[in-house]
Amino acid sequence: MKNWLFSIYNFSKIQKLKKETHFVKRLVKRLENTPDREIVKLYWNTNSLHERIAAAAIALKRVLNITLYDEQITAAFGLAYGFAVEMKTGEGKTFAAAAAAASLRDTVHIATVNDYLAERDFKNLKPVFDFLNISSGVNLKDENKAELYKKQIVYSSSVNLIFDYLRNELSPSYEFPLKNAILDEIDYILLDNANTKFSVSAGKYHEINVEYFEAAEKLLDYLKGREIEKKDLVLKKEPEDADYVYSTYLNTLYLTEKGFEKLEKLFSTENFIETHFELYKALLAVLQAYSLYQRGRDYIVEDNKIILINRQSGRKMPDTKLDAYLHTALEVKEKVPVTLKHLFNYSLSYQVFFKKYQRIAGTSGTLYDARLELEGIYNLPVIVIPEHFPVKRIEYNDLFFENKNKKYMFLVDYLKNVKPQRQPALIITNDDGESEKVWEILNKNGISCTLLNSFTAGYEEKIIKEAGRAGAVTVSTNMVSRGTDIIVDKEAEEHGGLLLISLGRFPDRRIDNQVKGRTARQGAPGKSLFLISFDDEIFDFLNSKQYKYFLKLKKIKLEDYQHKIKALSKLLDEVQENVSLLTYKIRENIVQYDTILEEQKQVMRRWKEEIKAKGICTAAEIINADEELLNKIKNQEEKLGKELSKKLFDAILSTVFEEHLLQYLYDMEDIKIYLPYWRLPEKNTVLEFMKICAEQFEVFKKNVLYLSFQYFISAQPSKFIFKYA
């Protein structure tokens, strides 16, 4: 029913955009012989979106000899109107996004997956923007940020954007415009990275006592942990006979009642959390570090430091840290130098950050399956653009194997004896560990191949350039699944184009589709094949009913599987749908937490300005100042005079407020992380979090005002230099 309704909705929207597209094409034809300067004048003087898109199309043709086809112009309109636009991989999203950005004739941030893509797209499109006298830039580490953000169009990785915003919010030094954002691979940024928290150091440090972590490590053998099976996640079924339970998929862990009882008996206390709170936080972090975080999959150790890896993309995140306690626990686990001073961070998630923009839009090749979440959380309607190039990809049926070893042996045999020797092949693995294992197996069996993972990411551009050459074999993590354009040479095309072999299905169907999109781009031929073994992670997500059906299928001999492939593939399709629904609900909950905290921060800043506007007397009333304090305030005010007193108090209030705000935000992040584990299973934790925020805000107000008055009445004006007018 929903598919049918969406088809009608999409057809209606696309038909309207097509009419506008035809108008633009006629306009471009009419302006074909118009001098360059007149095109530029038209762009800057017109109020018509159609004329600005036409000017951008003409600029692309004259500068890069790129003729926008109908679907790209339709996509440009969709982006300009604020849609999430699905265009299949290889259909030219980059040029559509550039035309849309230019057409807005306003500040636009084009956010990409990584620095490499941001720099590549900027270099390609800068001559077009120069033609139209549009200022443009790319956001790299050595850029002058104040000058960069004055430009009309800025290309940047989404990570650099959010870090720049955080640093500037913490210490304002330029205007960060939050007007228009166009997100390349929008589902990757807003959905796949929903759990990623970005933080910058506020310069306020709080020492972590490493002894708590050492003590926590000694408790590892004392406490018994059990993993929640993936099939029980939706049912919220908890394993029995465990002191703590965890889910590697959801990346969560908590102590059970049995575990608390054990700890309370060991430490002779009635409430372990209250009496040993710092040890409790360190213990949770250590348990997570050992149970949830795997070296080579979630992080690597490089230059004696923990470097995080994004599970969705397989890419390194060198500028990102986990929660301070968890990051310290990983450092203790891996016996690398402990960076003790990294608390009081200023944090933000992608969800909250991009919601700050006046308008967001984006593109991806896999938005249909994410349409409900994008509209539900971000109010971003999805449209699907029809394909321009006929897809020549041959998609083979899934092949199934008893275990990974048999799958790897089949891969070797297939590459040596079935695949045409001059056909290039791209082998997709689950993580760094598997990529290295497969690379070693292939080389040992005489198949020369190149490895692309987080360790070799520095050579990514060179590896990608060679991956489409005739006879090349490349083993990679799914870091190539987005934004990577593998161009096959003529000889390779003659031998069938790029052969894509994925060693398993991913829990998220969108990643499967992104992986397939690496081959048969822009009308070129290509093939895709998924090899699946029964010990792959995706089978862990089968619910009870699905598992029983799966067991029946497993009883059939493997050589008889050919006619059962569709049944097994359909079963995995169902699993992927269940996982998508589950992760949607999780991300929705995270958005609620982050939105509450961000709104609270804005309320607090407004409160500060209200106090400054109302003055000292109102502030004194709020804290119910006693007679003695009131007299001291009045005496200081008489001594300094009202004008100087106001300036002094406002300056002190601002300083105290900012210092305490960092502490407040840190405390709330702490509560947000640990709230679900504070014996509140019967309560709605989102409502509980709102209640705690409100209560702590009242405490915050009184503390800030009381301390501000203490500084005010003890101040010696001769020692102050005011920067405030």
Side-chain angles (χ1 to χ4, degrees):
M1 183 70 172
K2 287 181 181 176
N3 293 349
W4 177 72
L5 287 173
F6 179 80
S7 296
I8 294 173
Y9 163 82
N10 191 66
F11 178 79
S12 171
K13 291 294 180 187
I14 295 299
Q15 288 305 110
K16 287 180 181 177
L17 295 179
K18 278 184 176 180
K19 287 180 183 177
E20 299 188 64
T21 296
H22 294 321
F23 179 82
V24 166
K25 290 200 76 176
R26 289 196 300 270
L27 189 56
V28 169
K29 182 73 175 171
R30 196 168 75 237
L31 297 170
E32 201 170 42
N33 299 316
T34 304
D36 292 355
R37 65 179 180 278
E38 293 300 320
I39 298 297
V40 176
K41 192 184 292 185
L42 171 71
Y43 172 80
W44 285 104
N45 293 336
T46 184
N47 290 321
S48 165
L49 178 66
H50 300 78
E51 289 182 339
R52 293 197 295 270
I53 287 183
I58 291 168
L60 280 161
K61 176 63 177 174
R62 294 187 184 181
V63 177
L64 300 181
N65 198 28
I66 297 290
T67 301
L68 291 182
Y69 45 82
D70 290 11
E71 290 79 5
Q72 286 174 307
I73 297 173
T74 301
F77 272 113
L79 292 170
Y81 289 139
F83 286 96
V85 178
E86 176 175 299
M87 287 182 78
K88 295 303 179 189
T89 51
E91 291 275 298
K93 296 190 291 288
T94 303
F95 297 119
S103 74
L104 294 174
R105 208 173 60 197
D106 195 359
T107 302
V108 183
H109 295 163
I110 301 179
T112 63
V113 172
N114 54 52
D115 288 345
Y116 161 69
L117 293 174
E119 190 171 14
R120 181 200 70 182
D121 293 350
F122 169 70
K123 284 180 178 177
N124 288 340
L125 274 306
K126 186 180 186 302
V128 176
F129 300 134
D130 288 346
F131 175 92
L132 293 169
N133 288 339
I134 296 172
S135 59
S136 62
V138 60
N139 188 12
L140 301 176
K141 287 184 179 178
D142 56 351
E143 292 294 309
N144 180 323
K145 304 296 183 179
E147 290 301 314
L148 176 73
Y149 286 110
K150 289 178 184 175
K151 298 182 186 299
Q152 182 176 326
I153 295 176
V154 175
Y155 280 85
S156 174
S157 69
S158 52
V159 171
N160 284 349
L161 269 184
I162 196 168
F163 274 128
D164 285 348
Y165 174 81
L166 284 169
R167 293 187 193 101
N168 195 58
E169 183 84 350
L170 194 62
S171 179
S173 58
Y174 55 86
E175 184 182 346
F176 190 101
L178 291 163
K179 293 188 176 181
N180 304 284
I182 295 177
L183 281 57
D184 185 23
E185 306 295 355
I186 189 171
D187 53 335
Y188 171 78
I189 293 172
L190 293 184
L191 307 188
D192 298 340
N193 280 285
N195 295 345
T196 305
K197 182 70 73 174
F198 298 89
S199 305
V200 295
S201 172
K204 304 292 179 184
Y205 301 124
H206 175 77
E207 295 281 355
I208 295 179
N209 190 339
V210 74
E211 291 179 3
Y212 287 120
F213 294 86
E214 293 168 350
E217 281 196 315
K218 292 176 182 175
L219 293 170
L220 286 172
D221 293 332
Y222 181 70
L223 298 171
K224 180 181 178 183
R226 291 275 301 277
E227 180 167 13
I228 302 173
E229 291 185 38
K230 296 182 179 72
K231 64 186 176 64
D232 293 329
L233 290 177
V234 179
L235 303 174
K236 296 181 180 177
K237 187 177 176 183
E238 181 182 292
E240 297 177 3
D241 190 31
D243 301 320
Y244 64 93
V245 296
Y246 59 93
S247 164
T248 51
Y249 183 72
L250 296 185
N251 219 41
T252 56
L253 177 148
Y254 62 91
L255 287 162
T256 63
E257 290 295 325
K258 184 173 179 291
F260 277 117
E261 288 169 7
K262 222 173 184 183
L263 290 167
E264 284 159 2
K265 184 178 179 182
L266 179 67
F267 288 90
S268 303
T269 178
E270 293 183 0
N271 192 318
F272 178 71
I273 294 177
E274 287 184 6
T275 57
H276 295 78
F277 185 58
E278 287 299 318
L279 176 58
Y280 166 68
K281 290 198 292 184
L283 176 59
L284 273 181
V286 166
L287 291 174
Q288 288 178 44
Y290 278 87
S291 302
L292 304 178
Y293 286 82
Q294 185 178 312
R295 185 169 174 170
R297 182 192 68 188
D298 304 294
Y299 67 92
I300 59 174
V301 176
E302 194 172 81
D303 297 329
N304 224 16
K305 289 189 297 188
I306 300 292
I307 304 293
L308 299 178
I309 295 174
N310 186 306
R311 267 199 212 182
Q312 296 291 337
S313 68
R315 294 183 181 277
K316 290 189 286 188
M317 300 190 291
D319 296 321
T320 306
K321 282 193 173 184
L322 297 163
D323 160 66
Y325 278 80
L326 181 50
H327 209 91
T328 300
L330 285 177
E331 290 169 336
V332 171
K333 172 188 173 184
E334 296 297 341
K335 296 177 174 52
V336 299
V338 175
T339 51
L340 295 176
K341 293 182 176 180
H342 51 41
L343 291 188
F344 293 151
N345 289 338
Y346 200 64
S347 302
L348 204 62
S349 64
Y350 273 143
Q351 296 101 320
V352 175
F353 172 61
F354 282 109
K355 278 186 171 185
K356 289 176 177 289
Y357 280 84
Q358 293 173 14
R359 173 183 10 206
I360 60 171
T363 63
S364 175
T366 49
L367 292 183
Y368 175 77
D369 291 322
R371 65 194 185 282
L372 297 179
E373 186 168 352
L374 285 171
E375 187 151 12
I377 294 179
Y378 300 99
N379 197 27
L380 260 175
V382 170
I383 57 172
V384 177
I385 305 293
E387 292 167 348
H388 175 73
F389 295 106
V391 178
K392 296 180 180 177
R393 180 172 56 244
I394 298 171
E395 297 183 8
Y396 293 110
N397 289 333
D398 299 334
L399 292 182
F400 294 87
F401 303 87
E402 279 184 292
N403 53 55
K404 288 180 180 178
N405 286 334
K406 290 189 176 182
K407 177 167 65 177
Y408 298 151
M409 290 305 101
F410 173 86
L411 175 66
V412 170
D413 182 59
Y414 191 86
L415 293 176
K416 290 180 82 169
N417 302 315
V418 180
K419 177 189 80 70
Q421 281 194 346
R422 301 302 292 165
Q423 182 179 34
L426 176 65
I427 318 299
I428 304 294
T429 61
N430 189 53
D431 53 39
D432 280 352
E434 186 179 37
S435 69
E436 291 184 358
K437 183 176 181 179
V438 171
W439 179 76
E440 287 175 1
I441 289 172
L442 295 184
N443 275 294
K444 281 180 182 176
N445 284 275
I447 300 170
S448 178
C449 56
T450 306
L451 176 64
L452 177 58
N453 60 19
S454 63
F455 291 99
T456 61
Y459 305 97
E460 179 178 2
E461 187 173 0
K462 183 175 183 293
I463 293 170
I464 293 302
K465 191 176 285 186
E466 295 176 353
R469 291 182 179 174
V473 176
T474 308
V475 177
S476 175
T477 60
N478 63 315
M479 65 186 286
V480 299
S481 65
R482 289 184 185 268
T484 305
D485 194 4
I486 298 175
I487 300 171
V488 294
D489 61 28
K490 273 193 172 183
E491 186 184 356
E493 215 171 296
E494 290 169 2
H495 287 86
L498 181 67
L499 169 65
L500 183 286
I501 300 178
S502 180
L503 298 181
R505 288 261 213 114
F506 291 91
D508 192 324
R509 184 189 298 161
R510 288 181 297 111
I511 300 178
D512 284 354
N513 291 335
Q514 286 285 353
V515 163
K516 280 192 283 190
R518 295 315 97 198
T519 183
R521 296 164 70 87
Q522 298 185 354
K527 299 175 182 178
S528 68
L529 171 64
F530 283 72
L531 307 182
I532 301 158
S533 56
F534 294 149
D535 50 359
D536 285 349
E537 182 190 28
I538 194 167
F539 286 100
D540 296 339
F541 290 95
L542 295 169
N543 61 33
S544 300
K545 184 179 177 182
Q546 291 167 336
Y547 189 68
K548 287 177 184 176
Y549 182 50
F550 173 61
L551 289 178
K552 286 182 182 178
L553 295 175
K554 278 185 74 174
K555 290 177 183 177
I556 302 167
K557 291 181 181 179
L558 280 177
E559 52 266 29
D560 297 332
Y561 258 43
Q562 201 64 26
H563 70 287
K564 288 291 181 182
I565 284 175
K566 286 185 179 178
L568 280 164
S569 296
K570 188 178 178 183
L571 185 64
L572 294 186
D573 289 342
E574 289 177 13
V575 170
Q576 288 175 324
E577 284 179 19
N578 292 343
V579 170
S580 293
L581 182 61
L582 175 65
T583 52
Y584 173 20
K585 295 300 180 186
I586 293 166
R587 288 192 285 259
E588 189 176 39
N589 204 46
I590 291 169
V591 169
Q592 286 179 296
Y593 276 127
D594 289 342
T595 302
I596 290 166
L597 200 52
E598 187 63 21
E599 287 174 354
Q600 183 77 355
K601 188 170 30 173
Q602 302 310 319
V603 168
M604 294 169 88
R605 291 199 183 281
R606 286 197 297 272
W607 170 81
K608 180 191 72 174
E609 296 306 317
E610 286 169 8
I611 294 297
K612 288 167 74 173
K614 290 177 179 177
I616 299 174
C617 294
T618 303
E621 289 172 7
I622 290 174
I623 61 169
N624 296 318
D626 56 33
E627 197 70 33
E628 183 183 355
L629 181 57
L630 280 172
N631 287 334
K632 287 180 180 179
I633 293 169
K634 287 175 183 176
N635 290 339
Q636 181 73 313
E637 198 172 18
E638 287 174 11
K639 190 191 303 180
L640 302 176
K642 289 207 169 184
E643 187 179 349
L644 186 56
S645 292
K646 176 168 174 48
K647 285 184 179 180
L648 175 60
F649 182 73
D650 286 356
I652 291 171
L653 178 67
S654 294
T655 302
V656 174
F657 176 89
E658 293 301 332
E659 287 182 353
H660 278 65
L661 178 62
L662 290 172
Q663 177 68 58
Y664 172 86
L665 293 174
Y666 172 70
D667 289 344
M668 290 302 101
E669 286 289 341
D670 215 19
I671 289 169
K672 189 177 77 173
I673 291 168
Y674 298 109
L675 183 64
Y677 316 133
W678 284 8
R679 301 177 179 183
L680 294 168
E682 74 287 354
K683 295 183 181 180
N684 183 318
T685 55
V686 174
L687 292 176
E688 189 70 16
F689 185 65
M690 289 176 69
K691 180 183 171 186
I692 292 171
C693 282
E695 289 172 353
Q696 291 303 307
F697 183 28
E698 293 305 313
V699 175
F700 171 88
K701 288 192 284 191
K702 290 178 181 177
N703 288 343
V704 167
L705 289 176
Y706 182 79
L707 195 56
S708 295
F709 277 128
Q710 294 302 315
Y711 286 138
F712 173 73
I713 61 181
S714 61
Q716 297 179 37
S718 60
K719 295 185 178 180
F720 280 86
I721 299 173
F722 292 100
K723 295 185 288 185
Y724 304 91

